[in-house]
Amino acid sequence: QAEAAAKLDAQWAEPLVLRGQLAYRRAYLYGQNDPQVAQLWIDSGMTQIGRATKVNPGSADALEVRGNLQYWKWLLGLERDDARSAALLRSAESDLIQATTINPAQAGAWATLSHLKNQTSGAVEVAVAARNALASDAYLDNADKIYQRLFNATYDIGQYGDAQHWCEEGAHRFPGNTQVTRCRLFLLTMKAAKADADSAWRLADSLTHVTPEQTRAYDSLYYRTLVAAVLGRAGQGDSARRVLRQARGSADIDPQGDLSLVGAFAALQAGDRKEALQRLKLYFIASPARREAFKDDVGWWFRSLQDDPEFKRLIGS
């Protein structure tokens, strides 16, 4: 129908935008399982949006779709050349920002920016984009993910009050979504929270119980590692170290080394600096590209290490 409508009026941009949106949705669905088919749909969508922007260069919807298409291509790693890949990310960001400039209530563009800003800016801009997305449309299809991003962003910069607010807001709206409600366990690792080990264990057990079978092996270790961080904060260093030893994950379960990263934080809470550095070493072996982010900002998790010579060697600073 969109194709037929476009043929009726060559100066009507909306049917072309709709075709671009449909192509993006197909590219998204194929993305994880068949990136090459996703590339075909991305190309198709870009063609339609190219026609739409010729008809209406100021269409916020067209710019949003083009930004989404380019960012999805970047996330899938379909652009192999480093320089062109960087240009693709910049172009996606530019389109999405322009869409929100034309229409400050362009909720979809703000939602994508709340993810993209992790690549180009930082937690503060992620939080701004996520808040704008919800303010523009509180019932976005991916509102649960927006709440996660708001919590993660405020948690990452150590803003306990804001992190607690977005955690409770999200958990109230999506009580059955463990990716949202696990924020309550993360909150217990923050300095401003009471180091309540009993609550940490209860939360870890309940989250593990409702975690899907396919991710339970990893998630249960992740939650136990967060419990170890709370135990360390509570002055129960021996218990924290014992839990950490039991919660180690294999490369099959944790190929990116994220358990090692969280374990390094937990080890610091238990006062074990040497173990923290060893786990960070394992993390950077698994994910060497992530050193760059640490050079810009070590975050509050590892601020106590920022002047440590061994830590500086690990991040190449």
Side-chain angles (χ1 to χ4, degrees), residues 182 211 213-224 247 249-250 253-259 262:
R182 70 179 189 170
T211 295
E213 185 66 34
Q214 61 269 27
T215 63
R216 189 170 298 166
Y218 172 86
D219 287 346
S220 64
L221 295 175
Y222 196 96
Y223 299 144
R224 289 175 68 84
S250 65
I253 293 176
D254 181 31
Q256 303 300 316
D258 290 326
L259 289 174
V262 183

Side-chain angles (χ1 to χ4, degrees), residues 70-78 88 115 119:
Q70 292 179 102
Y71 186 45
W72 187 230
K73 180 177 180 177
W74 185 86
L75 284 172
L76 292 176
L78 294 172
L88 184 66
H115 190 282
Q119 324 298 337

Side-chain angles (χ1 to χ4, degrees), residues 296-313:
D296 294 333
D297 182 10
V298 299
W300 66 267
W301 271 15
F302 301 111
R303 198 149 287 142
S304 64
L305 292 177
Q306 62 186 355
D307 295 323
D308 186 286
E310 178 63 22
F311 179 71
K312 289 182 177 181
R313 282 193 291 272

Side-chain angles (χ1 to χ4, degrees), residues 8-183:
L8 291 174
D9 186 351
Q11 298 305 307
W12 190 17
E14 281 76 4
L16 299 170
V17 173
L18 176 58
R19 294 185 69 189
Q21 289 172 332
L22 293 172
Y24 169 63
R25 290 181 185 178
R26 290 188 174 100
Y28 187 84
L29 290 172
Y30 279 108
Q32 301 298 329
N33 299 319
D34 197 337
Q36 298 310 310
V37 175
Q39 176 71 76
L40 295 175
W41 283 112
I42 290 170
D43 292 341
S44 174
M46 291 294 287
T47 298
Q48 299 305 322
I49 296 303
R51 293 170 60 194
T53 53
K54 285 183 180 178
V55 174
N56 182 5
S59 169
D61 290 338
L63 290 164
E64 176 188 327
V65 175
R66 191 168 70 185
N68 284 339
L69 286 164
Q70 292 179 102
Y71 186 45
W72 187 230
K73 180 177 180 177
W74 185 86
L75 284 172
L76 292 176
L78 294 172
E79 180 52 76
R80 302 291 185 180
D81 180 81
D82 288 346
R84 286 199 291 268
S85 177
L88 184 66
L89 182 61
R90 289 194 300 271
S91 181
E93 183 176 28
S94 176
D95 278 343
L96 293 165
I97 290 173
Q98 190 176 352
T100 61
T101 301
I102 293 169
N103 177 20
Q106 194 75 16
W110 282 121
T112 304
L113 282 168
S114 73
H115 190 282
L116 184 151
K117 287 291 185 180
N118 276 305
Q119 324 298 337
T120 63
S121 303
V124 173
E125 291 202 32
V126 168
V128 169
R131 283 198 299 268
N132 285 334
L134 288 178
S136 301
D137 185 354
Y139 299 97
L140 281 163
D141 289 344
N142 62 342
D144 57 334
K145 291 182 173 57
I146 304 300
Y147 276 104
Q148 289 176 54
R149 291 168 196 167
L150 272 166
F151 171 76
N152 290 340
T154 49
Y155 176 89
D156 286 349
I157 55 181
Q159 292 182 344
Y160 178 77
D162 287 341
Q164 184 182 45
H165 169 77
W166 292 115
C167 176
E168 293 307 321
E169 285 281 314
H172 176 73
R173 279 197 60 184
F174 303 99
N177 187 324
T178 57
Q179 294 300 306
V180 175
T181 58
R182 70 179 189 170
C183 62

Side-chain angles (χ1 to χ4, degrees), residues 230-267:
V230 180
L231 289 168
R233 288 192 61 236
Q236 301 177 37
D238 289 342
S239 295
R241 286 186 281 274
R242 183 167 60 251
V243 172
L244 278 176
R245 286 194 298 271
Q246 296 170 348
R248 283 185 179 274
S250 65
D252 291 339
I253 293 176
D254 181 31
Q256 303 300 316
D258 290 326
L259 289 174
S260 295
L261 178 68
V262 183
F265 167 62

